[in-house]
Amino acid sequence: MAGDNKGKVIGIDLGGTNIKAAAVTNEGKLVTKLEWATEAEQGVGHVVQRLQSIARAVASEAGWIWSDVAGIGIGIPGFLDFQAGVVERAVNIGWEQVPILDIMQRELGVPVYFDNDANAAAIGEAWVGGGRGFRHVVAVTIGTGIGGGILIDGQIYRGANGMAGEFGHMVMDWGHGHVCNCGQTGCLETIASATAMLRSARQAVERGETTALASYDTESLTTRLVIDEARNGDAVAGRIVRHAMETLGMALSYIGNALNPERIVIGGGVSKAGDVLFSPILTGFQQGALSRVQEACKIVPAELGNDAGVLGAAKLAVR
Amino acid sequence: MAGDNKGKVIGIDLGGTNIKAAAVTNEGKLVTKLEWATEAEQGVGHVVQRLQSIARAVASEAGWIWSDVAGIGIGIPGFLDFQAGVVERAVNIGWEQVPILDIMQRELGVPVYFDNDANAAAIGEAWVGGGRGFRHVVAVTIGTGIGGGILIDGQIYRGANGMAGEFGHMVMDWGHGHVCNCGQTGCLETIASATAMLRSARQAVERGETTALASYDTESLTTRLVIDEARNGDAVAGRIVRHAMETLGMALSYIGNALNPERIVIGGGVSKAGDVLFSPILTGFQQGALSRVQEACKIVPAELGNDAGVLGAAKLAVR
């Protein structure tokens, strides 16, 4: 269908290590995808070139001719100026004041849109993942930190200066706990991120606690192993995961009472772990969410895995 | 200007004790207002009658002829079914399943809109009060409880089932503190409401603490007096107000990081008290709000006092 560009968009997920791109239909069907190294160390110009190349390459892989592509969306790990179309700062890839939308549009001849990576993942899950079919969706990603995104009436909500959904920096342990990257102490992500669970596990081993975790050497221990051992009934691993996820659930109760969403979608590499995560999350949530808020809201796992970012980015270009 | 109904709406604030009504222009200018007793004990039909009568009366007071009125908005202290136009439950006035919009429209021959009272006050402040001119506004009311409302892109956000903005039930003292009306323990409103500050003051007097508060008898002590004594330098009153307002500020930091608003408007009877309230609110907020969130957001006092409810209700009818 040459010349029919209504159904064809491209989503790009720009990460510190890899660039992912997907050819996606208007209805959210992923046709094909590619993953290249970002090579951020070779400078802004190089990465921008690679973004253009991967877009053309994935369209070609999908069997699309370029003039059929209706638009491109990009998820970017940084602070964005939406008015100007400029990446203000993206620490992981060393970008500062990059007018990415103008550059890409000039070179590719199609409309280009962007959002930050957490919002892109939230949009993806709300579109065709754990939140599909619902208007008010909150997405939370458990990873190195805790990311978040808010969809209101199906639209991403960015707030006054793009900071809406920064759930990871709700302070859950006032005046105590670990110092966070943001400079505060006791932030949710210092307790409930994958990184935080792993740190707690390592500390338990170092303290000499009796646990299956001690059978791994410190370097090879991962959050996934901690969760697996918790599921296997290891008491120390269980305590660590339970504390982290109950605290996440308590933070979600704040989000629940404030935003009264229909779905809270939990994503990130560990989110497929099932009850061992979701049971304490629910315990925490039920401790603080009003009963009418609980009635209206289900907490569900993300469904798109690593594709949430490219799918959400693609959605940005669906008009 | 008979026949010109573009600029004329009526806002009604239905409370447990009083019904307030105001004739308001399209631009948010309050022309005139009335306040009558609610007389809720005389039953639903009686109160509905009074709502109709006060609407006609305030229009007449304003010198408007009835056919000039474009619409009526009502703020109601309860849970509403927005789809059906029904008051599900309003405990203070003993209402249950009252199809108020249909009844009012049939009797008065003009479009009638409603929202809950906290949202109406938030809409009023965002329209012509402390949040005017801003798109993303959070309003918090310190009263018997802690009420709230969220405006996103200038529109009130109600959430999945009308519960959005229930900030008063964020648990700030997990597993401790006072039991709240909602059944939870340690809710923000058990710590930072006017009622809670007054309770803390009475307890301090009962414990025999050395304080100017002891010079009032228990019955005549009010939250306003507690705040006055805090401002006068009384250490005990100061500690009580500071703890309550810092805790409020900490809760606002959650709201700030989640919603990234441009303005947080603090209302309620005590909100004119100035620095003695706002300085600890800011201290709490700064402890937990990300710096970019703080940059984008000012915490300001409400400006409309008791008129916020009728003005916000009137705004519901402005098309």
Side-chain angles (χ1 to χ4, degrees):
Chain A
M1 289 199 298
D4 171 16
N5 67 3
K6 288 219 184 81
K8 294 166 181 165
V9 291
I10 290 170
I12 301 179
D13 182 0
L14 171 57
T17 310
N18 290 309
I19 301 172
K20 296 176 201 126
V24 178
T25 70
N26 236 349
E27 288 82 37
K29 193 173 150 344
L30 196 156
V31 178
T32 189
K33 56 180 172 171
L34 288 176
E35 183 162 354
W36 294 359
T38 305
E39 301 177 355
E41 68 287 355
Q42 297 193 41
V44 175
H46 181 75
V47 174
V48 171
Q49 280 284 348
R50 288 180 77 71
L51 290 173
Q52 293 163 18
S53 303
I54 201 171
R56 289 191 189 276
V58 82
S60 164
E61 281 267 318
W64 297 352
I65 58 172
W66 188 250
S67 59
D68 281 3
V69 173
I72 298 174
I74 315 178
I76 293 176
F79 296 125
L80 311 178
D81 181 337
F82 289 95
Q83 229 100 56
V86 169
V87 179
E88 286 185 9
R89 195 152 36 90
V91 178
N92 286 346
I93 51 173
W95 285 21
E96 198 127 359
Q97 300 297 333
V98 178
I100 184 70
L101 297 194
D102 271 1
I103 301 174
M104 295 284 285
Q105 275 165 185
R106 209 169 41 228
E107 293 297 323
L108 296 173
V110 296
V112 182
Y113 308 88
F114 66 13
D115 210 323
N116 70 55
D117 52 352
N119 281 350
I123 292 168
E125 286 293 340
W127 188 26
V128 287
R132 78 181 164 283
F134 294 95
R135 292 156 56 228
H136 306 311
V137 175
V138 167
V140 176
T141 307
I142 305 171
T144 314
I146 300 252
I150 300 169
L151 283 107
I152 285 179
D153 269 329
Q155 296 297 311
I156 196 78
Y157 172 65
R158 301 194 181 94
N161 60 347
M163 298 295 282
E166 286 286 351
F167 307 131
H169 302 285
M170 295 174 134
V171 176
M172 298 304 290
D173 195 4
W174 293 98
H176 299 92
H178 293 270
V179 175
C180 184
N181 289 332
C182 77
Q184 298 180 161
T185 300
C187 286
L188 175 63
E189 73 176 37
T190 68
I191 302 169
S193 65
T195 316
M197 285 188 271
L198 182 56
R199 179 180 51 208
S200 300
R202 285 183 173 148
Q203 289 172 341
V205 172
E206 280 163 21
R207 272 195 305 270
E209 296 198 42
T210 307
T211 163
L213 300 172
S215 63
Y216 304 93
D217 67 66
T218 316
E219 290 311 303
S220 66
L221 195 60
T222 62
T223 308
R224 192 173 297 252
L225 288 170
V226 178
I227 292 170
D228 285 347
E229 292 298 350
R231 196 190 290 102
N232 293 340
D234 182 76
V236 171
R239 184 195 71 211
I240 288 166
V241 172
R242 204 162 45 240
H243 174 66
M245 293 300 102
E246 261 195 45
T247 306
L248 174 58
M250 290 153 84
L252 294 182
S253 80
Y254 295 145
I255 297 166
N257 290 344
L259 285 171
N260 187 204
E262 293 164 291
R263 284 291 180 275
I264 298 177
V265 183
I266 310 287
V270 301
S271 65
K272 300 271 183 215
D275 270 359
V276 68
L277 292 189
F278 281 81
S279 160
I281 289 174
L282 208 60
T283 302
F285 184 68
Q286 288 168 342
Q287 279 174 49
L290 290 167
S291 54
R292 272 178 65 95
V293 168
Q294 291 184 42
E295 281 163 27
C297 182
K298 265 206 178 120
I299 301 179
V300 298
E303 296 178 3
L304 305 179
N306 287 329
D307 294 339
V310 286
L311 282 162
K315 177 67 162 67
L316 296 170
V318 173
R319 298 287 124 167
Chain B
M1 290 202 295
D4 171 16
N5 65 2
K6 287 218 186 82
K8 294 167 181 164
V9 291
I10 290 171
I12 302 180
D13 183 0
L14 171 56
T17 310
N18 290 309
I19 302 171
K20 297 177 200 125
V24 178
T25 72
N26 236 349
E27 288 83 38
K29 195 173 148 345
L30 196 156
V31 179
T32 188
K33 56 181 173 171
L34 288 175
E35 185 164 352
W36 294 0
T38 304
E39 301 176 354
E41 69 287 354
Q42 297 193 41
V44 176
H46 180 75
V47 174
V48 171
Q49 280 284 348
R50 287 180 77 73
L51 290 173
Q52 295 164 17
S53 304
I54 201 172
R56 291 190 187 276
V58 82
S60 163
E61 282 266 320
W64 297 352
I65 58 171
W66 189 248
S67 58
D68 281 3
V69 174
I72 298 175
I74 316 179
I76 294 178
F79 297 124
L80 310 179
D81 181 337
F82 289 96
Q83 230 101 56
V86 169
V87 180
E88 285 185 10
R89 195 153 36 90
V91 178
N92 286 347
I93 50 174
W95 285 22
E96 197 125 2
Q97 301 296 333
V98 178
I100 184 71
L101 297 194
D102 270 1
I103 300 173
M104 295 284 285
Q105 275 165 184
R106 209 168 42 227
E107 292 297 323
L108 296 173
V110 296
V112 181
Y113 309 88
F114 65 13
D115 210 323
N116 69 54
D117 52 352
N119 281 350
I123 292 167
E125 285 294 338
W127 187 27
V128 288
R132 78 181 163 283
F134 294 95
R135 291 157 56 230
H136 306 311
V137 175
V138 166
V140 176
T141 306
I142 306 169
T144 313
I146 301 254
I150 300 170
L151 283 106
I152 286 180
D153 270 330
Q155 296 296 311
I156 196 79
Y157 172 65
R158 299 193 182 97
N161 60 347
M163 299 294 282
E166 286 286 351
F167 308 131
H169 303 286
M170 294 174 134
V171 176
M172 298 304 291
D173 194 5
W174 294 98
H176 299 92
H178 292 271
V179 175
C180 183
N181 289 331
C182 75
Q184 298 179 161
T185 300
C187 286
L188 175 62
E189 73 176 38
T190 68
I191 301 168
S193 64
T195 315
M197 287 188 270
L198 181 56
R199 178 181 50 207
S200 300
R202 285 183 174 149
Q203 287 173 341
V205 171
E206 280 164 21
R207 272 195 305 270
E209 294 197 43
T210 308
T211 165
L213 300 171
S215 64
Y216 304 92
D217 67 68
T218 317
E219 289 312 301
S220 66
L221 195 59
T222 62
T223 308
R224 190 172 297 254
L225 287 170
V226 178
I227 292 170
D228 286 347
E229 291 299 350
R231 195 189 292 101
N232 293 341
D234 182 75
V236 171
R239 184 193 72 212
I240 289 165
V241 171
R242 204 161 47 239
H243 174 67
M245 293 300 102
E246 263 194 45
T247 306
L248 175 59
M250 292 154 83
L252 294 183
S253 80
Y254 296 144
I255 298 166
N257 290 344
L259 286 172
N260 187 202
E262 295 165 291
R263 286 288 181 277
I264 298 177
V265 182
I266 310 286
V270 300
S271 67
K272 300 270 183 218
D275 269 359
V276 67
L277 291 189
F278 281 81
S279 160
I281 289 175
L282 209 59
T283 301
F285 185 67
Q286 287 168 343
Q287 278 173 53
L290 290 167
S291 55
R292 272 178 66 93
V293 169
Q294 291 184 42
E295 282 162 26
C297 182
K298 267 207 177 121
I299 301 179
V300 298
E303 295 179 3
L304 305 178
N306 287 330
D307 294 340
V310 285
L311 282 160
K315 177 68 164 65
L316 296 170
V318 172
R319 298 287 125 168

